[in-house]
Amino acid sequence: MDIRVLKYFLTVAREESITGAAEVLHMTQPPLSRQLKDLEDEVGKQLLIRGGKRVTLTEDGMLLRKRAEEILDLFEKTKAELSDSDKNITGEIYIGCGESDAVSFFAKAAKALQKEHPLIHYHIYSGDAERVTERLDKGLIDFGLLIGDVDIEKYDYLRLSISDTWGVLMRKDDPLAEKSEICAEDLWGKPLILSHQAASNSKMLSWLKADEVKPDVVVTGDLIYNVSHFVRNNIGYLICLDKILNITGESDLCFRPLTPKMEAGLCIVWKKYQVFSKASKEFLRRLKTELSIDS
């Protein structure tokens, strides 16, 4: 199994047609079909269901598609790292993070680095801690920003001195907006909107006293900006971290912290014994500068 054939397979999966993929790849259909058949013979599985006008993936084909995308991402990342020169550092830096204002540390480090090395490019992936650490463990990202109680002992890390605060995002004209803090009882019987991060947080469920009154969760989602539209339309109260949305000025939303107060710690992590590219090594040095940590 080589990189070239994996690219062929992914093109067919994307185009859902061997003929269409052949046109994209600037090759004729017979050799492409032969390469795909050889790939199926090599793995010992049927990967494609060849219909009249459309090609679909088998269950094994869907698994290979996911793995092939990861392999090609890592291949391109490695190629870029090896192309770095000593004088003019170039390359790609891959970052995974949950939604937090602390992402600004990455942005500040990138801004400082851009002045000296403008050819470095950045790729940001968003997701919860499980998704970020999965990509980190597979070598698909260089750094991760983890929020809350996450096991970080298998990583090297920078623990941030700041933390995020949990609270409720709601409409300004809502009666609860008159309170300066929100307790669990305020939300009993109310429709709730939770990020997946909050929904899987045992401390959050404990704060909600879920063993006494089952929370009425009407919406869950990954991106706070997206689910905030459900808040604006008066569908529910969003439990989230502070400072993610700009709710100053003319915004029709407001944020109230929880009581008792709940905070989420923040860590920037990377794999232990990581062999950094020149770009990533320089970026880590800049991050430590932003965080006032000695290298």
Side-chain angles (χ1 to χ4, degrees), residues 242-258:
D242 63 339
K243 296 177 289 188
I244 295 176
L245 286 182
N246 182 2
I247 53 174
T248 58
E250 300 299 318
S251 174
D252 54 349
L253 302 179
C254 64
F255 179 90
R256 298 292 181 264
L258 305 182

Side-chain angles (χ1 to χ4, degrees), residues 93-98 100-110 132-133 136 141-148 150-162 264-272 276 280 283-293:
I93 295 175
Y94 296 80
I95 300 167
C97 51
S100 170
D101 184 62
V103 175
S104 62
F105 286 114
F106 289 124
K108 290 174 183 176
V132 170
T133 53
L136 196 63
I141 58 175
D142 302 300
F143 303 98
L145 174 65
L146 302 183
I147 305 168
V150 183
D151 182 11
I152 59 173
E153 292 309 311
K154 66 176 183 177
Y155 302 110
D156 285 328
Y157 59 88
L158 300 173
R159 193 181 296 277
L160 307 191
S161 59
I162 61 172
L266 298 158
C267 281
I268 296 172
V269 300
W270 59 95
K271 289 176 69 174
K272 283 188 176 179
F276 280 125
S280 296
F283 185 70
L284 178 58
R285 187 178 69 82
R286 296 285 181 166
L287 273 176
K288 290 180 177 180
T289 299
E290 290 298 327
L291 298 170
S292 302
I293 297 172

Side-chain angles (χ1 to χ4, degrees), residues 7-161:
K7 288 181 178 178
Y8 292 170
F9 171 74
L10 288 176
T11 304
V12 172
R14 184 179 65 247
E15 297 297 321
E16 298 183 343
S17 164
I18 294 178
T19 302
E23 292 176 359
V24 171
L25 294 166
H26 305 292
M27 61 190 299
T28 58
Q29 183 177 336
L32 176 58
S33 295
R34 187 169 58 253
Q35 293 277 6
L36 295 172
K37 184 63 171 62
D38 289 345
L39 177 61
E40 289 180 317
D41 291 342
E42 182 180 355
V43 300
K45 301 283 187 179
Q46 181 183 357
L47 303 172
L48 303 168
I49 301 173
R50 296 158 176 84
K53 294 184 178 179
R54 183 167 174 258
V55 173
T56 57
L57 298 179
T58 64
E59 187 174 338
D60 291 313
M62 287 187 282
L63 174 61
L64 180 60
R65 179 178 188 168
K66 183 176 186 297
R67 295 292 182 247
E69 288 171 343
E70 293 172 351
I71 290 168
L72 288 173
D73 280 349
L74 187 56
F75 176 73
E76 295 299 330
K77 181 174 181 289
T78 304
K79 241 186 4 176
E81 290 173 354
L82 292 174
S83 68
D84 285 352
S85 67
D86 292 326
K87 294 182 180 179
N88 188 17
I89 297 177
T90 64
E92 316 291 317
I93 295 175
Y94 296 80
I95 300 167
C97 51
E99 286 189 288
S100 170
D101 184 62
V103 175
S104 62
F105 286 114
F106 289 124
K108 290 174 183 176
K111 178 64 176 177
L113 198 56
Q114 189 181 52
K115 296 177 181 177
E116 190 173 348
H117 304 293
L119 297 180
I120 294 177
H121 300 110
Y122 303 86
H123 305 273
I124 311 298
Y125 297 91
S126 297
D128 58 18
E130 183 179 353
R131 293 179 186 179
V132 170
T133 53
E134 180 185 6
R135 295 190 73 87
L136 196 63
D137 293 342
K138 291 178 177 178
L140 299 175
I141 58 175
D142 302 300
F143 303 98
L145 174 65
L146 302 183
I147 305 168
D149 296 328
V150 183
D151 182 11
I152 59 173
E153 292 309 311
K154 66 176 183 177
Y155 302 110
D156 285 328
Y157 59 88
L158 300 173
R159 193 181 296 277
L160 307 191
S161 59

Side-chain angles (χ1 to χ4, degrees), residues 215-230:
D216 180 18
V217 180
V218 295
V219 178
T220 63
D222 284 322
L223 298 176
I224 299 304
Y225 175 79
N226 288 346
V227 293
S228 69
H229 289 286
F230 289 80

